[in-house]
Amino acid sequence: MATNNNDIIYLPLEGVESEHCALIVEKGLSRVEGVTTHKVELNNQRAAITINNEEVLSKAVNAIKDLGYGVTVVKKVFPVLGMTCASCAGSAESIVSYEPGVVNANVNFATGNLTVEYLPNMTNALKLQKAVQGVGYDLLIEDETSQQETLEAIHEKKFKQLKTKTLWSVILSLPVVTIGMFLTNIPYANAIMWAFATPVVMWFGKDFYINAWKQAKHRSANMDTLVALSTGIAYLFSVFNMLFPEFWEAKGLEAHVYFEAAAVIIAFILLGKLLEEKAKGNTSSAIKKLMGLQPKTVIVVQADGTEKQTAIEEVIADDIILVKPGEKIAVDGIVTTGSSFVDESMLSGEPIPVLKNKNEKVFAGTINQKGSFQFKAVKVGKETMLAQIIKMVQDAQGSKAPVQKLVDKIAGIFVPVVMGIAIITFIIWLILGGDNGVVQGLLAAITVLVIACPCALGLATPTAIMVGVGKGAEKGILIKDAESLELAKKVNAIILDKTGTITEGKPQVANIHWLDNDNSAQNILLSIEKKSEHPLAEAVVKHLGELSTVELSNFDSITGKGAKADYNGATFFVGNKKLLTQNNITIADALLQQADEWGKQAKTVIWFANSQQALSVLAISDKIKETSVQAIKELQAMDIELYMLTGDNEATAKSIAEETGIKHYKAEVLPQHKADFVRELQQQGKTVAMVGDGINDSTALATADVSIAMGKGSDIAMDVAKMTIISSDLSKIPQAIKLSKQTVATIKQNLFWAFIYNLIGIPIAAGILYPVNGFLLNPMIAGAAMAMSSVSVVSNSLRLKWKNKNT
């Protein structure tokens, strides 16, 4: 279980069903010495921890189990081959113990077996076998491709067990309800109900009591405590009344039994859990879809040209992989031979297949169409774009929205408060209830415990965030955290970078006008641009690519203006007009006239000059994206102010602004001034979103309230941004804002219903209506209502998935 101190270990959790449960686990982890950081992600059903030494992992797992919750671990026994002495056993045990994800390992030399517990999301039998082989022994394992126990398989197994428990609870509860409600006078009625109710309470409901006891040991209480108290009291009270009816008869009262309440409450709560699990499974469908995009095996072309079927885990960088028609691409790479159209819709949300030729990038999870091609693996395993997207979506789904802080505080005190209300209810009934005060007080207290639902409250925000983030991922909008999803709805000002955001970001040289045809000047221009890192420089290099370069000296990149270099003792400049003006370089009228004309056509103008005069002017055009104009109209229709910032000249900026309908723009803006403009708008009280794609946008992105990066831009921009539009299509931004509005509305609805349900349900359960109209809520009905409250909250979140399916 060796791990880097900074590595995050994800512990898959079981039974953590509400924010209140998550808080209990967090508190438990905070007490484990050696756990340096900890966070429970309710949506992802996992705890993210970092530890400072190898022994801490098993302590953390045991601490969670001790609180009454589970950690999904696989326990297996494997024969160890090649051991000759007891020290061999120690060596094999030690190497397995230090494998990341191993909780406990024990090698018995006498039996020759390794008993190991490990986290299935971090390791598997194949990895353990490789580790043991590394020190000269071997593990006898099953065929991992068919037998490997994955987290999904384990959860599926647990879901089936819950299904079986629920089914039998319902079957056994039916006769109890029938007798208790309609056939109370048949012989041995109480004994028959007791016989049917006991397996439901003692066997199918035993987890509630075990977990409640574990909570009590830590002076804590959760949902299980409420269920265990209510059903346990009802059951024991009924057993007492059945065995000692004379106790009540001596007081002139009838001895009633409430086996049907105890059995049906457990049956209903199990049914609610089953429906909730089913619904929660649908909320994580986006992750499941993404995970299903990577094939299990690939065809690797060997050095001698032969083809070998290889497991995806064994693919390494620089392997040549063959992709046939209809197959999924397994890892990120670059096409080496052949060409084909590739469907990238699952990553970008764009339905049109993209043509891939030699030297073009392909990504894991995309689907090859009709042609065959070979590509070289560049990024494998956790480095692929698909793996990064899955991680980003999981992290976002596991993050908390600001509104959750209030809910966390309420969830933390909810169960103790409900227990207090139940005790007060019983006391009031005892004092004011007359002859039946004890019985009715007990039933009212049980009903209060049953109807209270911390789960509905705890699930209100996380499930909506989970569906919202997942829906965004399906549309090609990657959202980094819940906060930005919540904040996006408030955006009323958006700053757009021009190149690569509004335009294609693929500048091309449209025209060059030379003062005189000096070929050597062209070679100098190409040489300077080859050294420059500016995107426009690439366009010039591509245009003059066939010419030869010359040896330059003193190359200097001038931020926001251009570049200069020396050749044969003379200085040459490439850049904007400002660069020439600052260096007192004269510009011929013919060149000026040409530059003005191109500027009016929305072309970017670049100057090339020596230290005395301008030698040529170049026009670079960058096509406006087809979707940009429509996206800008949509954003303006949403009452959002749009600002375009560009380093380009005034004429080009004006032309682009007019063509796209943007009213506010700034030209010749240096990278450092973009962040200043963001602050300027924020000081005016605006909630600002910045949309950019380059390194020069990263400061402004970090300063904005909501930062949106274009997926085809630089890695730095995507790292800084809270949202990424994979396809770099501006029309996704109005979609992201609409999604934010829908998600926040769903959170508010969920919280409203969860609060209202508890505010109305608890007083009615306590018997507030009894003095008015004699109404007392049956504990069985309370059990059904409580079960349905959680299901209704999750179902309301799921509505997000089907809202505006076409937007």
Side-chain angles (χ1 to χ4, degrees):
M1 61 200 162
T3 182
N4 184 309
N5 287 0
N6 299 319
D7 284 353
I8 297 173
I9 297 168
Y10 293 104
L11 306 177
L13 299 174
E14 294 168 8
V16 178
E17 280 146 13
S18 72
E19 209 58 58
H20 182 230
C21 300
L23 291 170
I24 291 168
V25 173
E26 282 210 11
K27 201 184 279 183
L29 286 170
S30 70
R31 290 195 288 259
V32 178
E33 205 174 320
V35 172
T36 48
T37 65
H38 52 83
K39 184 176 88 161
V40 175
E41 298 176 1
L42 178 63
N43 281 332
N44 295 329
Q45 288 288 292
R46 67 186 188 184
I49 64 168
T50 54
I51 56 178
N52 62 12
N53 69 67
E54 291 77 20
E55 280 72 45
V56 178
L57 183 57
S58 57
K59 286 182 191 171
V61 170
N62 291 334
I64 294 168
K65 286 181 176 176
D66 201 35
L67 286 165
Y69 302 102
V71 176
T72 307
V73 292
V74 174
K75 191 172 183 178
K76 284 198 171 183
V77 178
F78 300 111
V80 185
L81 310 177
M83 291 194 301
T84 54
C85 62
S87 68
C88 295
S91 177
E93 183 180 304
S94 175
I95 200 73
V96 172
S97 296
Y98 277 79
E99 267 296 288
V102 171
V103 179
N104 287 308
N106 178 39
V107 176
N108 187 318
F109 180 61
T111 60
N113 285 341
L114 160 71
T115 306
V116 62
E117 274 185 284
Y118 60 84
L119 301 170
N121 57 318
M122 285 189 74
T123 191
N124 55 40
L126 200 62
K127 287 181 183 174
L128 299 180
Q129 185 190 43
K130 281 184 179 173
V132 173
Q133 285 170 344
V135 286
Y137 312 111
D138 202 357
L139 279 190
L140 194 61
I141 63 171
E142 300 162 349
D143 175 23
E144 275 301 300
T145 51
S146 59
Q147 300 287 326
Q148 190 178 355
E149 271 196 271
T150 61
L151 263 181
E152 190 130 344
I154 293 164
H155 287 154
E156 191 61 37
K157 192 175 163 189
K158 295 215 177 292
F159 184 74
K160 280 180 183 168
Q161 286 171 350
L162 180 59
K163 211 173 181 177
T164 309
K165 269 189 193 177
T166 307
L167 185 66
W168 278 105
S169 299
V170 171
I171 290 168
L172 292 173
S173 297
L174 283 171
V176 186
V177 174
T178 309
I179 295 167
M181 306 274 289
F182 311 109
L183 306 168
T184 46
N185 296 324
I186 64 166
Y188 306 110
N190 288 357
I192 294 167
M193 285 194 287
W194 176 69
F196 277 104
T198 300
V200 177
V201 175
M202 298 295 186
W203 182 250
F204 300 117
K206 68 176 180 182
D207 288 343
F208 294 119
Y209 302 101
I210 292 166
N211 294 340
W213 173 244
K214 286 179 177 176
Q215 290 290 316
K217 282 196 298 183
H218 291 276
R219 294 180 183 176
S220 187
N222 68 356
M223 181 72 205
D224 293 327
T225 312
L226 299 181
V227 177
L229 277 175
S230 55
T231 56
I233 292 167
Y235 180 80
L236 293 172
F237 184 61
S238 301
V239 170
F240 177 84
N241 289 359
M242 182 182 73
L243 297 176
F244 308 106
E246 61 277 5
F247 176 83
W248 297 107
E249 285 161 4
K251 299 182 183 217
L253 299 167
E254 202 177 328
H256 280 292
V257 295
Y258 300 96
F259 289 120
E260 77 277 13
V264 171
I265 287 166
I266 284 175
F268 271 138
I269 288 167
L270 286 173
L271 181 64
K273 272 180 179 279
L274 186 73
L275 294 171
E276 193 184 301
E277 283 302 315
K278 186 91 177 149
K280 270 156 73 179
N282 287 334
T283 64
S284 61
S285 62
I287 284 281
K288 285 177 189 164
K289 272 185 197 169
L290 288 168
M291 284 179 165
L293 288 175
Q294 194 173 48
K296 300 285 178 281
T297 59
V298 295
I299 298 168
V300 174
V301 181
Q302 308 289 299
D304 59 3
T306 57
E307 295 171 6
K308 184 190 173 190
Q309 193 91 1
T310 307
I312 186 70
E313 295 84 6
E314 292 177 27
V315 174
I316 56 170
D318 294 335
D319 274 351
I320 300 295
I321 296 166
L322 172 66
V323 186
K324 293 177 180 175
E327 286 184 347
K328 287 174 183 167
I329 293 164
V331 295
D332 293 2
I334 292 173
V335 178
T336 52
T337 55
S339 66
S340 178
F341 280 93
V342 174
D343 177 1
E344 296 187 340
S345 60
M346 273 312 288
L347 293 183
S348 65
E350 297 300 311
I352 301 157
V354 182
L355 177 63
K356 299 289 179 179
N357 290 311
K358 191 177 177 180
N359 294 331
E360 294 205 40
K361 290 178 182 177
V362 288
F363 301 100
T366 56
I367 302 163
N368 182 26
Q369 301 284 282
K370 292 178 181 174
S372 283
F373 63 89
Q374 291 180 10
F375 73 94
K376 182 172 81 172
V378 176
K379 291 182 178 178
V380 297
K382 290 178 182 174
E383 293 177 349
T384 65
M385 187 177 174
L386 177 65
Q388 302 281 356
I389 289 171
I390 290 170
K391 187 179 184 306
M392 200 186 279
V393 172
Q394 275 183 326
D395 289 348
Q397 289 183 336
S399 65
K400 288 185 182 181
V403 71
Q404 186 70 33
K405 286 171 188 165
L406 167 70
V407 181
D408 284 354
K409 282 179 186 170
I410 295 164
I413 58 164
F414 188 90
V415 176
V417 166
V418 168
M419 287 165 72
I421 293 169
I423 292 164
I424 293 164
T425 300
F426 178 69
I427 293 166
I428 291 170
W429 273 99
L430 206 60
I431 297 165
L432 306 174
D435 293 342
N436 288 327
V438 176
V439 177
Q440 287 184 325
L442 207 55
L443 279 178
I446 287 167
T447 311
V448 166
L449 292 170
V450 170
I451 205 163
C453 189
C455 289
L457 209 55
L459 290 168
T461 306
T463 51
I465 292 293
M466 195 168 190
V467 176
V469 170
K471 190 179 174 187
E474 284 175 16
K475 290 174 172 289
I477 304 162
L478 289 186
I479 298 157
K480 244 187 204 174
D481 59 26
E483 189 175 352
S484 54
L485 181 62
E486 191 182 323
L487 195 59
K489 76 175 274 289
K490 296 178 183 172
V491 166
N492 52 18
I494 296 179
I495 298 169
L496 302 168
D497 174 49
K498 179 181 79 75
T499 309
T501 302
I502 295 172
T503 63
E504 295 277 5
K506 294 174 186 170
Q508 294 172 321
V509 174
N511 312 86
I512 300 184
H513 189 84
W514 290 90
L515 198 58
D516 54 55
N517 292 323
D518 181 358
N519 287 339
S520 64
Q522 292 187 37
N523 299 107
I524 297 164
L525 171 61
L526 173 64
S527 306
I528 296 173
E529 292 291 50
K530 268 206 169 171
K531 283 183 175 284
S532 173
E533 291 173 355
H534 197 281
L536 298 182
E538 278 181 48
V540 178
V541 170
K542 208 170 180 183
H543 188 76
L544 302 174
E546 291 172 14
L547 299 173
S548 57
T549 55
V550 294
E551 194 68 39
L552 300 172
S553 58
N554 301 326
F555 176 84
D556 184 19
S557 181
I558 304 156
T559 307
K561 296 189 182 87
K564 67 173 184 173
D566 292 348
Y567 174 68
N568 275 353
T571 304
F572 292 88
F573 299 84
V574 181
N576 57 23
K577 197 176 175 185
K578 203 179 274 183
L579 180 68
L580 272 63
T581 310
Q582 279 180 358
N583 288 280
N584 301 317
I585 295 165
T586 57
I587 303 171
D589 289 343
L591 293 182
L592 264 178
Q593 203 177 332
Q594 189 63 72
D596 289 343
E597 200 178 306
W598 287 339
K600 285 170 189 166
Q601 295 166 14
K603 289 174 183 171
T604 302
V605 174
I606 292 179
W607 298 88
F608 174 53
N610 59 25
S611 51
Q612 283 86 38
Q613 63 172 353
L615 302 176
S616 77
V617 63
L618 295 85
I620 294 184
S621 62
D622 186 7
K623 217 169 81 180
I624 292 171
K625 289 178 194 168
E626 288 175 18
T627 53
S628 291
V629 178
Q630 183 56 36
I632 285 160
K633 274 184 191 166
E634 279 184 54
L635 289 166
Q636 286 169 336
M638 293 164 84
D639 286 331
I640 295 170
E641 283 184 17
L642 294 180
Y643 301 84
M644 180 182 77
L645 300 187
T646 177
D648 249 330
N649 60 59
E650 175 69 26
T652 305
K654 188 182 179 187
S655 177
I656 295 277
E658 282 171 0
E659 214 172 315
T660 54
I662 293 174
K663 296 183 182 75
H664 312 284
Y665 67 89
K666 278 195 167 195
E668 297 180 16
V669 179
L670 296 175
Q672 60 266 35
H673 296 153
K674 287 184 180 180
D676 295 338
F677 187 66
V678 171
R679 286 190 203 96
E680 202 179 298
L681 291 177
Q682 286 170 333
Q683 281 160 9
Q684 293 169 25
K686 297 187 192 298
T687 304
V688 183
M690 171 72 200
V691 186
D693 75 323
I695 294 167
N696 59 354
D697 299 319
S698 53
T699 316
L701 285 166
T703 311
D705 299 297
V706 177
S707 44
I708 304 169
M710 291 298 171
K712 289 175 182 170
S714 76
D715 289 346
I716 294 175
M718 282 188 275
D719 284 346
V720 170
K722 293 294 175 71
M723 289 189 189
T724 300
I725 309 295
I726 300 174
S727 63
S728 293
D729 180 352
L730 264 188
S731 65
K732 299 284 179 189
I733 293 170
Q735 287 182 26
I737 292 167
K738 280 176 194 168
L739 182 62
S740 168
K741 286 178 178 173
Q742 289 168 359
T743 306
V744 172
T746 303
I747 289 170
K748 285 177 179 172
Q749 289 159 13
N750 285 351
L751 288 172
F752 173 79
W753 288 115
F755 275 114
I756 287 294
Y757 165 84
N758 284 302
L759 283 172
I760 294 172
I762 292 171
I764 290 173
I768 201 166
L769 295 177
Y770 187 76
V772 182
N773 58 10
F775 178 78
L776 268 179
L777 189 64
N778 187 313
M780 289 191 290
I781 306 300
M786 179 263 168
M788 286 304 107
S789 66
S790 294
V791 177
S792 65
V793 162
V794 180
S795 303
N796 189 46
S797 293
L798 280 171
R799 281 175 57 238
L800 256 177
K801 286 180 83 169
W802 297 291
K803 262 188 189 175
N804 304 330
K805 269 230 161 185
N806 301 319
T807 64

